[in-house]
Amino acid sequence: LQLEHAGHATAEGTGFAPRTFVTLWLAPPRGDARRLGTTAVGDDGAFATTVPIADTVPAGRHTLQVTGVDHAARARALALGVE
């Protein structure tokens, strides 16, 4: 997956607790992750959202991470390497 400066990232997923929220993060190899946004999870445990990528994000490899809770109220995180 490749992101563009001042562009957008679209993410969707399932397996989260219904009617909760997930937060999207962009983490560089070193340093602090940037919060991209938060979105609601539907009654079916799924979410879909598009978030902006700031033009201040440095070029290079990052990890796009989605965090929330699953049906058993345990922490759930999905991660995908991006460039």
Side-chain angles (χ1 to χ4, degrees):
L1 180 61
Q2 195 167 16
L3 302 178
E4 292 183 30
H5 284 230
H8 293 85
T10 299
E12 56 186 57
T14 61
F16 290 90
R19 296 175 303 282
T20 59
F21 293 90
V22 295
T23 302
L24 284 79
W25 302 87
L26 188 62
R30 292 175 200 74
D32 296 330
R34 294 174 185 243
R35 184 178 165 277
L36 299 178
T38 299
T39 193
V41 175
D43 290 339
D44 59 354
F47 76 93
T49 190
T50 299
V51 293
I53 304 299
D55 61 358
T56 57
V57 172
R61 297 186 184 273
H62 291 75
T63 300
L64 181 64
Q65 186 176 43
V66 179
T67 59
V69 295
D70 68 11
H71 298 280
R74 294 179 300 225
R76 177 169 170 76
L78 306 173
L80 176 66
V82 296
E83 194 171 302

